[in-house]
C-alpha cells in the first residue's frame, strides 16, 4: 500500500464521518443519502482490496464502551524515558559521528500498540515504565490507528497519543483545559471511551519494538507503509535529509519550526542511533534507555512576586520552608508554590516577602526558585541583607522551634515531642508501602483520625477497630471501605523485623540500615530486643554503621523501649529464610555503582551476592574487595577511590561469572 492510497482512504473516511456528524447533529446534511451510500460502498470495496481499515472508518465503526475500571498491564519489555540535554555540545558528544535519526519530541502520552498476525490485540500506556494501563478500547476511538496491518507474527510499535494544535483550539474554545497534553492524558484515563473520539486523539509512532529490522529509519519507513502515522523524522546518514551534524543548531531550530507549522505539540527534539542493535548494546538505567537523547529547550523561567514563606512539618520534626508566590504558568501548568528545602538555602537566596524571584520547573516537573532578583539588586546597591526571621513557634502545635545543623545544612525543628505535625509525618511513614504497608490509611485519613483523637501514637493504629461504627458515619467511609481498612491493618501485623525497624522513623536509620540490623539478628525480634532493648548494643560492629547512627538508634530505643515492646506484641514476625547456596563470595565485600543491565536493580544484585556469602557496602574503603561498575572507565568518585586503593573494578558480567 502506498502513501497516495492511504491518503485517499483517510480522506474518504473523513468526508463520510463529517457527513454523518452533519446529518445527525446539525440537521444540515452535506451529502444526500444516495451520495453517502455510494461513497460508503466505495470505501468498503477499497478496504477489502487493501485488507486495511482505520479505527474510525464508518464501515465498521467500533462502538464506544463504558468500562468498569482501567486494568493494569505489565509491559513485555520496559517503556523507559530518554536522557535529556540542553546544549549542542552534549548532542555532538552523544552522536559521536554515528548515523542518527532526529525526530520531533511530541508532547503527549506514550503508548504501545501490539499486533498479532496483523490484528490489533492490545494497547497500553507507559505508566511507570514497567506497568501501565490497558487502553485497548480507548485506541479504537482514535482517528488514525489501523485495526489491521499486513504483518505476520508479533508487531509492536511505541508512539505518542496527541491532540493536534488546531483540534485543541477547537475543543478548548471555552478555555476549559490548560494544554493538549493534559487533555490527551485525561482522555485515556476515563472509563467512557466515547470521549476519546470527541477529543480527536491521534497516534504517531516513533519506535518499532518488535517486528522490525536493524535500521530505525527503515523501521519507521515500513511502519508508515503499513498505514501508521509516524512522527516526522530526519536522518544524518544521507545528504538528502535535512539533518546535518555540522550545523546542528539550525537543524534543531528547523525541527521546532516544522512542528509549530504543522500543529504538532512539541517539547523537544529526539536523537536516536539508526543502528538498533548498537543502541540496545548501550543498555539502560532504571529511568532511561541509552540509545537516544532528548534535546530540551532550557528550563522556562518566569519572574513573579514572593507573597509568603510557609513552613511545613516533616516526620522528623523538621520544618521545611516553602515559597508562596503570585501564580505563573510554566510548561502548561500553573504553579504558585516551591519548596526551598531548608533554612540554609532560604538564607542563601535571601528571600523576603515582596521580593521579585525567578521560578522554573526542574526537568519540567518540580517547581523551584532559581534566583532572587531583588537580592541581586540590593547587593548591587550595596544594601546589606536584612536578617531573615523564622517562626519562633511551630505552625502546627505552637511549640518552640530551634535551629539545628543536619548534614552540613541548617534546619528549623519543632522541640515539642507531642507535636501533631510530627505525629502525622511519622504515621504516614509508618503505614507506607516499604514500612508496615497499611493500605487505605492516606495522609488525609490519618490527619482526620488525629483530629478526632483516635490516633496519638503508632499503637493506636491497631486499636482503630474500636471506632469502626463511628468511622462508618464519616463522609467517604462506608461499611465496605471500613472493613477493607481494618483487614489491611490486621494483615500488616505479619511483617519482618527490618520493616518494623524502618517504620519507626529512627533518625539516620533507613531501609538499608534496617535490613542490616535484621540480618544480624536473623530477623528475630526477641534476639533484637534482648541485645538492644535491655542493653545498649554496639551497632558499629555492623557494616556501614558509624558513631552517629549508633548513637541515634540507641538513644531512640532508650526513650521508646516501652512503646517498642507494646507495638511488637501486635506483630507476627516472619523468620528470615536462610538461603542455602555456595559460599563462593565468603569474605568478599562489594560496592555496586552505576546502572545495571542484567539484574533488575541493585537490591537483586545485593541479594545474589549475600546468598553466595558476600557482603555489599555503600562506599568504597580499604575493606572493599571489588567495585562493580559496567562503566569501568568512568571518572566517578567511586571509580577514582577504587583506583587509589588498588581495588579491582569489575563489570556486571564478571560478577555473574564469580557467582557461578
Amino acid at each position: 500500500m502506498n502513501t497516495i492510497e492511504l491518503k485517499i482512504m483517510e480522506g474518504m473516511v473523513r468526508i463520510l464521518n463529517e457527513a454523518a456528524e452533519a446529518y445527525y447533529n446539525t440537521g444540515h446534511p452535506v451529502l444526500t443519502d444516495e451520495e453517502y451510500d455510494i461513497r460508503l460502498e466505495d470505501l468498503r470495496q477499497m478496504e477489502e482490496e487493501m485488507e486495511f481499515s482505520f479505527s474510525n472508518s464508518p464501515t465498521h465503526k467500533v462502538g464506544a464502551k463504558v468500562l468498569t475500571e482501567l486494568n493494569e498491564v505489565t509491559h513485555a519489555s520496559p517503556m523507559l524515558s530518554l536522557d535529556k540535554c540542553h546544549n549542542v555540545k552534549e548532542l555532538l558528544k552523544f552522536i559521536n559521528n554515528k548515523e542518527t535519526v532526529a525526530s520531533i519530541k511530541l508532547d503527549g502520552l506514550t503508548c504501545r500498540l501490539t499486533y498479532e498476525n496483523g490484528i490489533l490485540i492490545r494497547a497500553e500506556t507507559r505508566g511507570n515504565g514497567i506497568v501501565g494501563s490497558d487502553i485497548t478500547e480507548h485506541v479504537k476511538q482514535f482517528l488514525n490507528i489501523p485495526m489491521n496491518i499486513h504483518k505476520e507474527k508479533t508487531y509492536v510499535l511505541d508512539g505518542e497519543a496527541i491532540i493536534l494544535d488546531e483540534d485543541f483550539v477547537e475543543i478548548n474554545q471555552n478555555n476549559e483545559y490548560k494544554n493538549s497534553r493534559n487533555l490527551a492524558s485525561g482522555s485515556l484515563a476515563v472509563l467512557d471511551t466515547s470521549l476519546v473520539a470527541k477529543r480527536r486523539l491521534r497516534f504517531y509512532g516513533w519506535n518499532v519494538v518488535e517486528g522490525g529490522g536493524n535500521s530505525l529509519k527503515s523501521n519507521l519507513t515500513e511502519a508508515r507503509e503499513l498505514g501508521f502515522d509516524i512522527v516526522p523524522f530526519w536522518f544524518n546518514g544521507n545528504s538528502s535529509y535535512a539533518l546535518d551534524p555540522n550545523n546542528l543548531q539550525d537543524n534543531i531550530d528547523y525541527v521546532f519550526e516544522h512542528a509549530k507549522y504543522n500543529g504538532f505539540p512539541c517539547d523537544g527534539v529526539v536523537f536516536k542511533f539508526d543502528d538498533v542493535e548498537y543502541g540496545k548494546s548501550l543498555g539502560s538505567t532504571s529511568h532511561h534507555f541509552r540509545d537516544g537523547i532528548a534535546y530540551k529547550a532550557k528550563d522556562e523561567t518566569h519572574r513573579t512576586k514572593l507573597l509568603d514563606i510557609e513552613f511545613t512539618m516533616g516526620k522528623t520534626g523538621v520544618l521545611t520552608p516553602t515559597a508562596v508566590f503570585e501564580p505563573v504558568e510554566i510548561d502548561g501548568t500553573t504553579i504558585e508554590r516551591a519548596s526551598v528545602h531548608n533554612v540554609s538555602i532560604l538564607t542563601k537566596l535571601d528571600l523576603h516577602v515582596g521580593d521579585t524571584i525567578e521560578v522554573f520547573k526542574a526537568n519540567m516537573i518540580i517547581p523551584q526558585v532559581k534566583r532572587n532578583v531583588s537580592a541581586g539588586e540590593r547587593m548591587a546597591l550595596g544594601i546589606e541583607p536584612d536578617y531573615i526571621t523564622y517562626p519562633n513557634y511551630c505552625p502546627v502545635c505552637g511549640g518552640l522551634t530551634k535551629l539545628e545543623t543536619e548534614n552540613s545544612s541548617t534546619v528549623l525543628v519543632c522541640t515539642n515531642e507531642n507535636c501533631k505535625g510530627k505525629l502525622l509525618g511519622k504515621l504516614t511513614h509508618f503505614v507506607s508501602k516499604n514500612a508496615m504497608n497499611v493500605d487505605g490509611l492516606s495522609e488525609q485519613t490519618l490527619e482526620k483520625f488525629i483530629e478526632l483523637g483516635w490516633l496519638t501514637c503508632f499503637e493506636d493504629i491497631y486499636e482503630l477497630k474500636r471506632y469502626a461504627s463511628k468511622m462508618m458515619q464519616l463522609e467517604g467511609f462506608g461499611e465496605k471501605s471500613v472493613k477493607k481498612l481494618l483487614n489491611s491493618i490486621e494483615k500488616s501485623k505479619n511483617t519482618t523485623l527490618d520493616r518494623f525497624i524502618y517504620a519507626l522513623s529512627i533518625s539516620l536509620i533507613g531501609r538499608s540500615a534496617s535490613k542490616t540490623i535484621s540480618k544480624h539478628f536473623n530477623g528475630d525480634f526477641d534476639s533484637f530486643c534482648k541485645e538492644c532493648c535491655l542493653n545498649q548494643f554496639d551497632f558499629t560492629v555492623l557494616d556501614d554503621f558509624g558513631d552517629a547512627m549508633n548513637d541515634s538508634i540507641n538513644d531512640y530505643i532508650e526513650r521508646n523501649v516501652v512503646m517498642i515492646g507494646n507495638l511488637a506484641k501486635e506483630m507476627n514476625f516472619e523468620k528470615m529464610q536462610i538461603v542455602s547456596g555456595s559460599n563462593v563470595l565468603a569474605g568478599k565485600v562489594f560496592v555496586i555503582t552505576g546502572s545495571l543491565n542484567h539484574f533488575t536493580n541493585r537490591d537483586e544484585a545485593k541479594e545474589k551476592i549475600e546468598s553466595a556469602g558476600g557482603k555489599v557496602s555503600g562506599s568504597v574503603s580499604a575493606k572493599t574487595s571489588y567495585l562493580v561498575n559496567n562503566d569501568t572507565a568512568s571518572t566517578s568518585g567511586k571509580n577514582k577511590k577504587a583506583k587509589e586503593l588498588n581495588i579491582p573494578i569489575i563489570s556486571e558480567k564478571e560478577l555473574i561469572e564469580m557467582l557461578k
Side-chain angles (χ1 to χ4, degrees):
M1 186 186 305
N2 59 44
T3 305
I4 295 174
E5 289 171 329
L6 279 173
K7 290 298 180 185
I8 291 172
M9 189 180 291
E10 187 177 15
M12 293 170 71
V13 169
R14 186 183 68 254
I15 290 169
L16 287 167
N17 283 339
E18 288 175 354
E21 174 76 13
Y23 180 84
Y24 289 109
N25 297 327
T26 70
H28 300 288
V30 295
L31 293 177
T32 66
D33 290 349
E34 184 179 4
E35 287 173 329
Y36 183 89
D37 291 341
I38 291 172
R39 292 187 182 225
L40 184 65
E41 185 57 32
D42 288 344
L43 175 61
R44 183 180 285 110
Q45 288 182 12
M46 189 173 185
E47 289 176 343
E48 288 176 359
E49 290 172 8
M50 301 299 174
E51 296 181 353
F52 177 88
S53 60
F54 286 111
S55 56
N56 65 330
S57 171
T59 61
H60 64 87
K61 188 65 178 176
V62 180
K65 290 187 178 181
V66 178
L67 308 174
T68 56
E69 62 179 346
L70 279 182
N71 295 318
E72 286 189 344
V73 56
T74 301
H75 307 313
S77 59
M79 295 177 69
L80 303 181
S81 184
L82 287 175
D83 199 6
K84 298 177 181 64
C85 70
H86 294 285
N87 60 65
V88 171
K89 186 178 179 181
E90 290 178 75
L91 274 180
L92 288 170
K93 183 179 178 181
F94 170 80
I95 293 172
N96 195 24
N97 295 319
K98 289 185 170 57
E99 294 188 345
T100 314
V101 175
S103 62
I104 295 172
K105 187 176 186 300
L106 295 172
D107 189 17
L109 193 72
T110 299
C111 302
R112 173 172 291 175
L113 305 180
T114 301
Y115 292 77
E116 287 290 350
N117 294 317
I119 306 298
L120 176 66
I121 63 164
R122 186 172 60 254
E124 54 205 275
T125 62
R126 180 166 69 184
N128 62 11
I130 305 299
V131 177
S133 298
D134 186 331
I135 55 165
T136 307
E137 293 301 325
H138 294 75
V139 302
K140 291 176 181 178
Q141 303 302 316
F142 277 41
L143 299 184
N144 66 338
I145 287 181
M147 298 301 292
N148 48 289
I149 59 176
H150 291 284
K151 194 75 175 176
E152 295 181 351
K153 298 183 179 179
T154 304
Y155 186 77
V156 182
L157 180 68
D158 281 355
E160 206 81 0
I162 66 167
I163 300 171
L164 292 175
D165 290 347
E166 59 181 346
D167 291 329
F168 180 67
V169 170
E170 185 177 337
I171 294 168
N172 199 36
Q173 291 180 14
N174 296 324
N175 295 317
E176 298 175 69
Y177 309 106
K178 287 288 184 183
N179 54 60
S180 64
R181 187 190 187 282
N182 288 358
L183 182 58
S185 177
S187 300
L188 295 181
V190 297
L191 298 179
D192 182 357
T193 61
S194 65
L195 285 174
V196 177
K198 294 177 182 177
R199 292 172 179 176
R200 304 184 65 76
L201 266 77
R202 302 170 193 264
F203 175 87
Y204 284 82
W206 39 252
N207 186 49
V208 177
V209 180
E210 187 174 349
N214 194 44
S215 165
L216 175 59
K217 175 178 69 72
S218 298
N219 287 343
L220 294 178
T221 301
E222 183 193 29
R224 182 184 290 135
E225 292 169 352
L226 288 171
F228 295 98
D229 278 334
I230 298 301
V231 59
F233 66 92
W234 296 265
F235 181 58
N236 74 345
N238 187 319
S239 60
S240 64
Y241 284 79
L243 183 62
D244 176 9
N246 297 315
N247 202 8
L248 212 50
Q249 187 59 60
D250 286 349
N251 294 155
I252 291 168
D253 294 341
Y254 173 79
V255 174
F256 276 116
E257 289 172 10
H258 181 90
K260 185 176 181 180
Y261 180 79
N262 290 279
F264 288 109
C266 167
D267 64 345
V269 183
V270 171
F271 292 82
K272 295 188 73 174
F273 295 116
D274 182 60
D275 188 330
V276 174
E277 288 304 316
Y278 172 73
K280 287 180 180 178
S281 73
L282 299 175
S284 64
T285 69
S286 60
H287 171 263
H288 61 263
F289 291 115
R290 290 200 175 98
D291 63 344
I293 196 167
Y295 173 88
K296 304 288 288 271
K298 291 186 181 296
D299 293 314
E300 190 179 338
T301 304
H302 285 261
R303 289 192 177 189
T304 185
K305 182 180 179 180
L306 183 65
L307 302 177
D308 196 6
I309 297 171
E310 295 181 353
F311 285 80
T312 54
M313 175 69 71
K315 65 183 171 73
T316 60
V318 173
L319 289 158
T320 303
T322 299
V324 182
F325 41 82
E326 290 182 347
V328 291
E329 185 167 312
I330 301 179
D331 297 323
T333 58
T334 301
I335 63 169
E336 50 192 336
R337 302 170 65 85
S339 172
V340 189
H341 305 297
N342 56 52
V343 170
S344 290
I345 296 176
L346 185 68
T347 304
K348 183 179 179 180
L349 287 168
D350 188 27
L351 290 177
H352 295 80
V353 172
D355 282 351
T356 297
I357 59 175
E358 287 185 351
V359 297
F360 71 106
K361 286 183 8 183
N363 293 320
M364 301 180 72
I365 297 173
I366 305 169
Q368 290 192 16
V369 178
K370 185 172 186 178
R371 73 184 186 101
N372 185 348
V373 178
S374 298
E377 292 172 350
R378 287 194 290 267
M379 185 180 295
L381 294 171
I383 301 173
E384 290 292 326
D386 292 335
Y387 176 73
I388 295 178
T389 58
Y390 315 107
N392 294 320
Y393 301 96
C394 173
V396 179
C397 70
L400 288 172
T401 63
K402 67 175 182 178
L403 294 173
E404 291 184 351
T405 300
E406 184 179 280
N407 296 326
S408 302
S409 296
T410 303
V411 296
L412 186 69
V413 299
C414 173
T415 59
N416 179 12
E417 283 295 323
N418 299 314
C419 174
K420 287 185 178 180
K422 286 184 184 179
L423 178 62
L424 177 60
K426 289 178 180 178
L427 291 180
T428 301
H429 175 75
F430 185 86
V431 302
S432 63
K433 186 175 181 180
N434 292 320
M436 300 309 295
N437 192 21
V438 183
D439 189 28
L441 277 180
S442 65
E443 184 173 338
Q444 291 77 15
T445 300
L446 288 168
E447 188 172 17
K448 185 179 293 185
F449 289 177
I450 290 171
E451 290 302 320
L452 289 168
W454 298 352
L455 293 176
T456 61
C457 58
F458 295 143
E459 301 102 293
D460 286 348
I461 290 175
Y462 297 96
E463 298 297 329
L464 280 174
K465 54 182 176 283
R466 294 185 299 173
Y467 304 103
S469 58
K470 292 182 179 179
M471 216 180 286
M472 292 177 197
Q473 298 171 20
L474 298 176
E475 184 180 350
F477 285 82
E479 185 176 351
K480 286 185 178 179
S481 60
V482 170
K483 185 177 180 181
K484 184 179 179 181
L485 171 59
L486 295 179
N487 285 340
S488 180
I489 292 173
E490 195 65 27
K491 183 180 176 182
S492 75
K493 293 180 179 180
N494 297 313
T495 191
T496 57
L497 180 59
D498 61 290
R499 281 178 171 271
F500 179 79
I501 294 171
Y502 177 60
L504 297 176
S505 293
I506 304 172
S507 180
L508 303 181
I509 307 300
R511 287 182 68 193
S512 180
S514 299
K515 288 180 178 180
T516 300
I517 295 169
S518 178
K519 183 181 177 183
H520 179 80
F521 293 103
N522 295 319
D524 184 62
F525 176 80
D526 291 337
S527 298
F528 168 78
C529 188
K530 182 179 179 181
E531 292 288 333
C532 305
C533 297
L534 302 181
N535 305 289
Q536 279 216 344
F537 180 75
D538 182 9
F539 287 93
T540 60
V541 300
L542 306 183
D543 290 337
D544 298 323
F545 271 72
D547 291 335
M549 293 171 70
N550 179 66
D551 293 343
S552 176
I553 188 169
N554 272 313
D555 178 62
Y556 183 93
I557 292 172
E558 184 178 350
R559 289 184 290 106
N560 297 281
V561 65
V562 175
M563 178 273 289
I564 293 172
N566 289 337
L567 193 58
K569 291 176 184 177
E570 299 283 352
M571 306 298 159
N572 301 309
F573 290 99
E574 299 172 9
K575 299 294 183 182
M576 284 187 69
Q577 297 294 319
I578 306 300
V579 181
S580 58
S582 66
N583 283 317
V584 293
L585 302 184
K588 306 293 184 185
V589 179
F590 294 77
V591 174
I592 305 170
T593 189
S595 61
L596 299 175
N597 301 325
H598 299 280
F599 294 107
T600 305
N601 50 42
R602 292 187 190 181
D603 284 342
E604 183 188 358
K606 181 179 179 181
E607 185 181 326
K608 293 290 185 183
I609 291 170
E610 291 177 345
S611 67
K615 294 182 179 180
V616 177
S617 175
S619 57
V620 177
S621 69
K623 295 180 181 179
T624 305
S625 307
Y626 298 96
L627 172 64
V628 181
N629 189 349
N630 283 322
D631 186 1
T632 55
S634 168
T635 56
S636 68
K638 287 181 179 177
N639 273 38
K640 287 181 179 178
K641 186 72 172 178
K643 289 174 181 177
E644 289 173 6
L645 298 173
N646 293 318
I647 293 167
I649 303 173
I650 63 173
S651 68
E652 194 177 354
K653 285 185 178 179
E654 290 174 292
L655 170 62
I656 292 171
E657 286 298 316
M658 294 174 71
L659 287 166
K660 291 180 179 178

